[in-house]
Amino acid sequence: MNITRGFTGRPRVHHPGLPPGQYDAGDEWPVLSAEVTPDLAPADWTFRIDGLVAEPRTWDWDEAHELPPSAYEGDIHCVTGWSKFGVRFGGVSLDAFLDVVRPHGSATHVVAYAHTGYTANLPLADVSGGRAWIVWEYGGRPLDAEHGGPARLVVPHLYFWKSVKWLAGLRLLDHDEPGFWEGNGYHPRGNPWEEQRYSGD
Amino acid sequence: MTELTTETAGATEAPGTAGTVRGAQERFAPPTRFAVPGRIAVSPQDASVWRTATLTGIRRETPRVSSFRFAVPGWPGHLPGQHLMLRLTAEDGYVAQRHYSIASAPDDSGHIELTLDHVEGGEVSGWFHTVARPGDRIEVRGPLSGFFAWPADRPALLVGAGSGVVPLWSMVRFHRSRDMRVPLRLLVSTRSPEDLIFAREMRSETTPVFTRSAPEGEAVGRLGAAHVAPFMAKQPPGGWEAYVCGSNSFAEHASRLLVAAGQPVERIRIERFG
Ligand SMILES: Cc1cc2nc3c(=O)[nH]c(=O)nc-3n(C[C@H](O)[C@H](O)[C@H](O)COP(=O)(O)OP(=O)(O)OC[C@H]3O[C@@H](n4cnc5c(N)ncnc54)[C@H](O)[C@@H]3O)c2cc1C
């Protein structure tokens, strides 16, 4: 351990919900995107799933809203260090979309991509089985454009860069391909509980 | 559409970095146009190794901002615009980590400089501004992030506010140190002349915008369309690559101004300090 002379740091908080190296951001919700926030109306939003599936399909805003509603209530963790507790996102479970397209047995990974072209890679197992949502509401209100509105992916058990804002689609693959941050030195999976921030962690 | 593939394949070998360049291998290219394809690839090796950095000097820039020079044995080199992760460790093992942009231009001296704003009550910037002295050792990992890097291959229009000027100034320093001909302009928003970081070093490439108080005879006001228009009217061949850096609210404001002035969204790169 390399102790920094004279550094004491903030008072220690012991929060069992806090993954290693994270802090509680409270009411703040910092924005981290590398691109211009797109001006995307709900009417122009679409979501497509293709690749290794039986029936590729595109949903528009209204069609996506016809699927059974589902909410995520819990915590989120950003790789830059902040965590937010007790957030509520409203939308649809990703399983409802995957059930329609029927993934092939050979599909192991997905690349999730945004209407801005941003990408993130995820194991298929991390976005199915009740672990991922497409959401358009935050705290009961429409999701802000800055935070990914009209609709974003939410995969709360992984660092939040995986939760692609302005979600446009998923491509199912039989191998892993790095997305934007993953190609910029970040960890391929990004599990906050194992502090998988950077490639090699 | 294969925008991403084209961009990726077109990435150039970066001078002064050990980073490997992504090849033109077959990759899934989203059917959407990508705003910010990476300029250079980041070496996973460099991103994951913590290195000890020894503070060798402190230089005051403004009443609230100082530059910190470090010797970093084994520093793999960087491109202007990249940042690093820094950590301080307390005696009980408690760790605070923050991102900082690299202020210095890449050179072979084995040194890097960071320029830090003293945030009121700030855990990490507070330590630097009130405790740190030459000889102190901290740890860094990086360089990180390839999308905000400027390999000096395209004309650059830099737009920053406050400490957001730091990565942009690394680009200016790089440009000067190699006596480059590629056009480079900096539009920087600051509260007052006293708060303008690197003011002593600024020359004709820089246009300051003063938001609270200005030198005798100069306007006070927010960065606006009128500041951006002259750069858009006089485009260099191939157009500008815009680099925007500052707080999130500044980044939103400045990037909207650029889009409204006709700058293509896929040629605006944004680094948000939070
Ligand atoms: C890519 C990038 C590059 C940057 N480059 C620079 C630069 O070149 N120069 C510069 O001056 N700054 C830069 N910053 C900002 C820098 O990372 C720090 O945010 C800043 O120095 C303040 O940190 P601090 O520890 O002094 O302040 P703190 O107030 O202690 O922390 C800063 C913020 O982090 C949050 N926070 C962190 N830890 C805790 C905690 N334990 N509890 C509660 N809240 C916490 C709070 O929201 C707080 O407002 C950069 C940021 C990013 C993302």
Side-chain angles (χ1 to χ4, degrees):
Chain A
M1 196 163 65
N2 291 304
I3 292 161
T4 314
R5 183 193 60 82
F7 176 70
T8 47
R10 291 175 193 270
R12 315 290 184 257
V13 281
H14 292 284
H15 194 312
L18 210 52
Q22 296 291 110
Y23 70 88
D24 180 355
D27 292 336
E28 279 182 56
W29 189 1
V31 175
L32 268 141
S33 35
E35 67 268 57
V36 177
T37 301
D39 206 355
L40 189 64
D44 299 327
W45 179 85
T46 56
F47 171 65
R48 177 171 176 80
I49 306 184
D50 58 17
L52 297 171
V53 296
E55 263 179 75
R57 149 119 209 226
T58 303
W59 288 262
D60 66 17
W61 184 254
D62 291 336
E63 289 162 348
H65 280 69
E66 280 161 21
L67 294 167
S70 172
Y72 168 70
E73 284 190 65
D75 312 332
I76 57 174
H77 312 287
C78 175
V79 69
T80 60
W82 56 264
S83 293
K84 265 179 93 60
F85 292 100
V87 299
R88 186 176 197 283
F89 286 106
V92 171
S93 166
L94 201 59
D95 292 319
F97 296 92
L98 289 169
D99 287 347
V100 175
V101 298
R102 289 180 284 125
H104 283 313
S106 61
T108 57
H109 289 80
V110 307
V111 178
Y113 57 96
H115 283 273
T116 61
Y118 174 90
T119 53
N121 54 305
L122 298 121
L124 181 57
D126 277 323
V127 294
S128 51
R131 311 181 90 188
W133 288 258
I134 293 182
V135 306
W136 33 75
E137 272 175 24
Y138 174 72
R141 299 235 184 97
L143 184 65
D144 280 347
E146 268 186 4
H147 293 301
R152 76 178 295 165
L153 183 63
V154 168
V155 189
H157 67 287
L158 300 179
Y159 283 128
F160 222 45
W161 91 78
K162 296 287 185 182
S163 295
V164 174
K165 299 183 190 184
W166 316 297
L167 186 67
L170 291 188
R171 168 72 56 90
L172 275 71
L173 305 170
D174 60 6
H175 61 280
D176 200 7
E177 279 189 11
F180 175 64
W181 286 115
E182 297 81 2
N184 271 292
Y186 284 70
H187 195 276
R189 178 145 186 264
N191 178 355
W193 295 98
E194 290 174 16
E195 227 183 332
Q196 295 170 337
R197 295 179 202 271
Y198 299 103
S199 155
D201 278 352
Chain B
M1 272 240 295
T2 53
E3 287 281 334
L4 178 59
T5 317
T6 317
E7 273 292 338
T8 308
T12 50
E13 182 73 56
T17 48
T20 46
V21 172
R22 255 192 261 160
Q25 72 266 40
E26 276 298 320
R27 284 247 322 253
F28 163 64
T32 43
R33 191 172 62 161
F34 196 17
V36 281
R39 300 307 313 279
I40 55 158
V42 167
S43 148
Q45 169 70 15
D46 297 339
S48 64
V49 179
W50 285 103
R51 292 187 167 82
T52 300
T54 305
L55 188 56
T56 59
I58 304 176
R59 195 172 66 239
R60 183 154 289 284
E61 303 285 357
T62 76
R64 275 183 39 187
V65 175
S66 290
S67 290
F68 299 84
R69 189 169 177 81
F70 300 90
V72 191
W75 179 250
H78 62 276
L79 273 183
Q82 288 193 281
H83 61 256
L84 50 71
M85 177 76 114
L86 176 155
R87 79 174 174 199
L88 307 182
T89 307
E91 273 181 29
D92 63 353
Y94 170 85
V95 166
Q97 308 191 29
R98 298 287 185 275
H99 285 113
Y100 290 102
S101 300
I102 302 163
S104 46
D107 59 29
D108 299 324
S109 68
H111 286 73
I112 54 168
E113 285 187 18
L114 306 179
T115 298
L116 273 63
D117 194 3
H118 188 176
V119 173
E120 193 63 37
E123 186 176 37
V124 172
S125 68
W127 180 83
F128 272 100
H129 281 270
T130 61
V131 180
R133 63 179 189 226
D136 281 342
R137 280 174 311 200
I138 55 129
E139 291 174 288
V140 297
R141 76 199 290 194
L144 305 172
S145 180
F147 80 92
F148 203 72
W150 181 61
D153 54 344
R154 300 177 186 168
L157 176 59
L158 317 177
V159 186
S163 55
V165 72
V166 173
L168 310 179
W169 199 250
S170 173
M171 299 177 193
V172 175
R173 286 175 163 155
F174 188 45
H175 191 261
R176 284 185 192 168
S177 70
R178 310 263 170 120
D179 202 16
M180 294 171 183
R181 294 283 155 258
V182 58
L184 174 119
R185 294 288 178 275
L186 170 63
L187 193 50
V188 60
S189 169
T190 180
R191 268 184 303 254
S192 68
E194 303 74 59
D195 287 314
L196 184 58
I197 310 171
F198 310 124
R200 289 181 304 247
E201 299 172 53
M202 285 172 174
R203 295 185 212 148
S204 61
E205 79 286 312
T206 303
T207 310
V209 176
F210 300 97
T211 59
R212 301 262 177 82
S213 68
E216 207 40 55
E218 284 190 46
V220 173
R222 198 178 186 208
L223 177 77
H227 295 111
V228 175
F231 298 102
M232 292 296 132
K234 268 215 293 196
Q235 297 259 348
W240 297 110
E241 191 79 11
Y243 289 79
V244 175
C245 187
S247 65
N248 180 53
S249 59
F250 176 80
E252 283 292 309
H253 173 68
S255 60
R256 276 166 210 272
L257 282 179
L258 287 168
V259 172
Q263 177 69 10
V265 283
E266 71 274 20
R267 300 203 52 193
I268 303 177
R269 293 159 194 284
I270 307 178
E271 184 90 290
R272 299 166 201 255
F273 280 7

